[in-house]
Amino acid sequence: MMAAKGYTQGAAEAWIARKIGQASAPVKNETAYLRACLAQEAAPAPAPGAKAPAKKTAKKGKPATTAKAAPARVAKPYWRVRNHQVAEAVTASRGGEPHDQLAERLNVTTLAVDQCRAERDCVEGFAAVLAGEAPEEVAARFPRGHSAAQLLVEVQRYRDRERRRRAVAALRRGQSPQEVAEQSGADVDTVLTWRREADRRRRAGLAA
């Protein structure tokens, strides 16, 4: 075999002695060992710059760690309070439950409870005054909402907006400005101004 590869007898013996001497353990089967050495030398050399294949090593198990502590309870801001929580907060607040205790029970902030109650009082108070109830009585029944004076202002603003909306709708249906002015209690120039403003808002993509 060595002669077929161009080795002389002396060169072959020197190669055999070197390979056996380089073995990491005593060679029991010299023929098989030398055949393996020849096969290894006959293998094509790796391309320049090529990386040797990475050795596969068994993954080491991660050391056991202590369990993570449970996250602390974080109170939800008002905008994350669910609808049923809002209703419960308002009912309990009106029933006399302190807001700090109620906030702890619902896992929300005290400010959230305050806002829930105040907004509900404002809405229901506004509806009551709009229905004809006396502002003073309504403000006393909903103490966390608007005052009597503010309720009057809010109701008047709403009525003014509704009057303008009805006037513009009548003009768009084809009623004459004079008829619309008489129905709304405004003059002709005013109702025409309302129409122009509504048309401008509609063209701008806003609520007309």
Side-chain angles (χ1 to χ4, degrees), residues 71-147:
R73 284 177 70 199
V74 179
K76 300 175 184 177
Y78 174 60
W79 55 269
R80 293 189 60 184
V81 179
R82 298 182 181 276
N83 290 335
H84 72 275
Q85 288 181 311
V86 173
E88 183 177 356
V90 172
T91 302
S93 173
R94 290 175 177 172
E97 184 173 352
H99 282 196
D100 54 350
Q101 177 181 321
L102 180 57
E104 175 66 21
R105 181 162 63 83
L106 296 179
N107 188 29
V108 297
T109 62
T110 305
L111 177 60
V113 177
D114 294 342
Q115 290 176 329
C116 289
R117 173 66 189 278
E119 290 189 8
R120 186 64 62 85
D121 279 12
C122 288
V123 170
E124 295 185 10
F126 171 82
V129 174
L130 188 63
E133 293 189 39
E136 293 76 11
E137 295 177 1
V138 172
R141 192 163 77 250
F142 301 106
R144 290 181 177 267
H146 293 310
S147 64

Side-chain angles (χ1 to χ4, degrees), residues 11-85:
E13 291 177 355
W15 181 87
I16 292 172
R18 181 167 55 84
K19 288 295 182 181
I20 292 176
Q22 292 175 349
S24 57
V27 178
K28 295 180 179 179
N29 189 339
E30 292 184 0
T31 302
Y33 174 72
L34 294 173
R35 286 181 183 276
C37 291
L38 287 172
Q40 185 177 6
E41 288 188 356
K51 295 182 179 179
K55 295 182 179 179
K56 294 183 179 180
T57 56
K59 294 183 177 179
K60 296 182 179 179
K62 294 183 179 179
T65 57
T66 56
K68 294 183 179 179
R73 284 177 70 199
V74 179
K76 300 175 184 177
Y78 174 60
W79 55 269
R80 293 189 60 184
V81 179
R82 298 182 181 276
N83 290 335
H84 72 275
Q85 288 181 311

Side-chain angles (χ1 to χ4, degrees), residues 164-181:
R164 295 178 61 167
R165 184 188 63 79
R166 288 193 296 267
V168 171
L171 290 173
R172 286 173 176 167
R173 288 196 301 268
Q175 279 189 254
S176 67
Q178 291 76 12
E179 291 177 345
V180 174

